[in-house]
Amino acid sequence: MRAALVQLNASDDPAENLPRTAALVAEAADQGAQFVLTPEVTNCVSGSRTHQRAVLQSEAEDETLAGLRGAAATHGIWLLIGSLGLKLPGEDRFANRSFLIDPEGTIVARYDKIHMFDVDISESETYRESEAYRPGDSAVVAEAGFAKIGMTICYDVRFAYLHRALAHAGAEILTVPAAFSTVSGAAHWQTLLRARAIETGAWVLAPAQTGQHRVSRGRPRASYGHSLAVSPWGDIVVDAGTGPGAFCFEMDLGAVADARCRIPAIHHDRAFAAPGLPLSQARHTRA
């Protein structure tokens, strides 16, 4: 099938970002894409909690979600909204939530990012995602009709066990929408995505934010870009570079079974004991 990665340079203004995103989704659909994916925090890139409180909405009220659900229905496409920052009832923190939308505009699946990006990349570049976002606690495999989709977000890519659990649950496509740091992106982005594809024999689709983001409050933000589509054999099918756009490609879903037949590592998991404990006390099995 034909799919497309939407690469964005979003600002911290959801009202400004929605028409730009919708235009790129329409461009992808006009090029024949049946499955379109947008990046992490499609609605708002911001590190200011004060600003987020002012502009983010609940899921029921979020205009980006409503607008993109309408776009999916208008174009008759499957749409992965990489993630939206959303207010949560009775909660001081937000959700970083991914949505799978069907061609009628219906929400088929939701996934809240599990792993929080709390890191010190350098003295001048630190992140404390858990201060603003509440982590999720459930892995999700969604049935899209054409394939089973394992949903992840950005920093999740560093946790191989999550992706292996999704593959064991039937995922043929792993989605990794992101707003990756420029420093860690240059060092690790491509390697991590190729590794997740190779070790699971799944397609890995990673739409990304890119460039210097316009923010009205808080420190400047920049994202690495280079949205990638990686085949189950680990080949890079699309590298979107650093400019915004809609990047279409052909996705052979038969390649999943082929890769898993050639090297069936996904079927070779074995129980083992954690270091220092006998197997009877610490038995690890397939997720």
Side-chain angles (χ1 to χ4, degrees):
M1 69 181 301
R2 193 162 175 79
L5 304 178
V6 169
Q7 184 156 281
L8 297 177
N9 174 238
S11 72
D12 63 0
D13 182 353
E16 176 182 83
N17 294 328
L18 176 56
R20 295 178 179 177
T21 305
L24 289 173
V25 170
E27 180 182 324
D30 288 344
Q31 294 180 38
Q34 301 158 281
F35 181 33
V36 180
L37 303 88
T38 73
E40 183 180 24
V41 287
T42 288
N43 59 339
C44 177
V45 175
S46 173
S48 167
R49 293 189 69 186
T50 300
H51 182 75
Q52 289 170 318
R53 289 192 190 99
V55 302
L56 296 184
Q57 302 294 327
S58 67
E59 179 179 318
E61 298 173 332
D62 189 76
E63 294 182 2
T64 302
L65 177 59
L68 293 180
R69 288 179 66 184
T74 296
H75 302 298
I77 59 171
W78 285 88
L79 176 65
L80 182 95
I81 303 173
S83 83
L84 302 174
L86 298 170
K87 288 181 176 177
L88 294 168
E91 172 73 55
D92 185 51
R93 292 182 293 177
F94 312 106
N96 191 347
R97 182 170 295 163
S98 186
F99 294 87
L100 181 65
I101 312 298
D102 74 11
E104 285 72 49
T106 302
I107 298 172
V108 172
R110 299 168 175 83
Y111 166 72
D112 285 4
K113 185 176 182 180
I114 292 174
H115 300 96
M116 297 287 99
F117 193 51
D118 292 348
V119 303
D120 299 300
I121 293 176
S122 68
E123 290 185 3
S124 61
E125 189 173 3
T126 64
Y127 298 88
R128 293 293 180 269
E129 189 175 21
S130 64
E131 292 181 357
Y133 290 97
R134 185 188 71 184
D137 58 10
S138 299
V140 174
V141 173
E143 178 57 70
F146 60 89
K148 290 185 177 180
I149 298 175
M151 299 168 68
T152 78
I153 299 172
C154 201
Y155 189 50
D156 284 333
V157 75
R158 293 183 181 273
F159 300 87
Y161 55 78
L162 171 60
H163 297 78
R164 198 161 187 86
L166 294 170
H168 280 310
E172 301 153 284
I173 298 170
L174 301 172
T175 56
V176 192
F180 233 68
S181 154
T182 54
V183 174
S184 60
H188 302 149
W189 174 246
Q190 187 181 111
T191 301
L192 286 166
L193 291 168
R194 292 191 68 206
R196 297 299 84 85
I198 291 166
E199 66 200 12
T200 63
W203 279 93
V204 171
L205 307 183
Q209 295 280 357
T210 191
Q212 191 73 41
H213 301 284
R214 188 183 65 77
V215 295
S216 57
R217 291 184 182 180
R219 68 183 183 184
R221 284 286 303 272
S223 296
Y224 180 63
H226 292 278
S227 298
L228 291 186
V230 185
S231 79
W233 196 245
D235 296 321
I236 295 175
V237 176
V238 169
D239 181 336
T242 57
F247 300 85
C248 294
F249 61 98
E250 298 297 330
M251 182 170 58
D252 177 11
L253 292 167
V256 175
D258 180 64
R260 291 175 179 176
C261 180
R262 293 168 73 183
I263 300 182
I266 198 69
H267 304 298
H268 291 166
D269 293 80
R270 291 181 57 82
F272 62 93
L277 292 175
L279 184 61
S280 60
Q281 294 183 30
R283 190 172 181 84
H284 293 250
T285 58
R286 286 169 43 160

